[in-house]
Amino acid sequence: MKNSRLKIMTLLFSAVLLFSTLQVASALKTEIIYTGTGGDVSKNYYIKKYSPRTQVTSEVFQAARKGTPMFTFGNGGGKKVIIVAGVHGNELPASIAAVKLINYLSGKNIRGTVYVVPFLIPSSTAKTYRYWKGKNPNSIANIRGTPTNRILQIALSRDVDAVGDFHSTRPGGVPGKTSILCTRIPTYESYRMAYQMSRYSGSAFIPAQVAGKDYPGALEDVCNLAGIPAVTAEVRSPHGSVASGSVTKSYTQMIGFLKYNGVI
């Protein structure tokens, strides 16, 4: 009798757990915003190892096979922001942090709308490859038809209020340290946002004077030139690897971006 009751309780628990899992998965609003970029990001050792092991994560990985996935939280109204990671497929901490963020936002009450693109070019992330068709994706955001320009077009068409582009920087590289980059002109809100994010996350604050001068074609600069406040967030980690604490720091930068914009 006791064994029968135990079996029934086990089956009921499994059913509840399965139902809860399906509910979480079905809550994700997913779009493939760019085709031809799909890849199996779970083949990347670090992405698989450090991403949360949940049904939500599995759904994110599955979507990335089809192209560039974008996940929407909120009802499409209110203040709208975009978080982008994986512009460079060999900069892994931000993509892992973005998957962690998607798990956090799933089912959470959002005061506005949050779009999250965890892998801009999943095929590059899968292979830990930096370039797209032989070009630096973060130098061609001003060229129509590129994955980075697609983010700009979405931001313009959906009246997005702010864009956060999250990266990692190798030791000895540029900027070579955990930091928030921004410009003063023509979108001063970029400067204000970056300053507050740097304070919240304990990151260096690196402002430039004019968008498009130091980094022409960079997603941040192209957005600022279009009148959409944007910042670039960097965490220090070797390319193709994940330094200790780098995922947590990138995640903190993302939370700082969302808190500054008042959507969480």
Side-chain angles (χ1 to χ4, degrees):
M1 186 70 173
K2 287 183 179 180
N3 288 338
S4 296
R5 287 179 179 176
L6 182 60
K7 287 180 180 178
I8 291 171
M9 289 178 67
T10 301
L11 287 170
L12 286 172
F13 178 77
S14 298
V16 169
L17 185 61
L18 177 61
F19 178 76
S20 299
T21 300
L22 290 172
Q23 286 290 93
V24 170
S26 65
L28 283 182
K29 300 176 185 177
T30 310
E31 296 176 66
I32 302 302
I33 60 171
Y34 197 99
T35 58
T37 52
D40 185 357
V41 297
S42 67
K43 289 185 177 179
N44 185 298
Y45 169 81
Y46 293 100
I47 296 294
K48 185 175 182 178
K49 179 179 180 180
Y50 292 111
S51 294
R53 296 186 179 185
T54 66
Q55 180 61 33
V56 169
T57 297
S58 295
E59 189 171 346
V60 171
F61 287 178
Q62 285 298 318
R65 290 171 178 258
K66 302 173 185 177
T68 301
M70 184 171 77
F71 301 89
T72 302
F73 301 92
N75 60 10
K79 192 165 188 179
K80 301 175 185 179
V81 300
I82 296 180
I83 282 177
V84 182
V87 168
H88 295 124
N90 65 342
E91 297 181 5
L92 306 176
S95 284
I96 298 166
V99 174
K100 183 178 177 182
L101 182 70
I102 290 168
N103 277 267
Y104 169 72
L105 293 175
S106 182
K108 188 176 181 61
N109 186 34
I110 306 297
R111 299 191 296 269
T113 303
V114 180
Y115 302 106
V116 183
V117 179
F119 309 103
L120 184 69
I121 309 172
S123 57
S124 293
T125 299
K127 299 175 182 177
T128 320
Y129 189 60
R130 186 171 183 80
Y131 299 101
W132 177 77
K133 296 186 176 181
K135 297 180 180 179
N136 176 0
N138 209 28
S139 65
I140 53 176
N142 54 339
I143 300 175
R144 278 189 172 272
T146 63
T148 36
N149 185 260
R150 177 67 177 136
I151 299 298
L152 172 66
Q153 298 306 321
I154 289 173
L156 290 170
S157 65
R158 303 193 189 190
D159 296 321
V160 164
D161 297 285
V163 174
D165 185 18
F166 293 80
H167 292 252
S168 61
T169 177
R170 63 184 176 83
V174 179
K177 58 184 175 181
T178 297
S179 51
I180 311 292
L181 287 73
C182 62
T183 56
R184 293 182 176 88
I185 299 171
T187 315
Y188 193 72
E189 179 66 7
S190 166
Y191 179 90
R192 285 192 289 259
M193 181 161 53
Y195 177 72
Q196 293 300 329
M197 285 175 63
S198 70
R199 294 187 65 184
Y200 180 85
S201 62
S203 306
F205 176 54
I206 305 180
Q209 188 65 17
V210 181
K213 182 178 180 182
D214 296 331
Y215 301 103
L219 180 58
E220 174 212 323
D221 290 55
V222 170
C223 287
N224 280 319
L225 288 169
I228 304 168
V231 296
T232 301
E234 301 269 9
V235 292
R236 193 170 183 266
S237 180
H239 287 168
S241 186
V242 176
S244 176
S246 60
V247 172
T248 298
K249 180 64 75 172
S250 185
Y251 180 80
T252 302
Q253 292 174 336
M254 291 176 185
I255 294 295
F257 173 80
L258 296 179
K259 282 184 175 294
Y260 175 82
N261 285 289
V263 293
I264 62 170

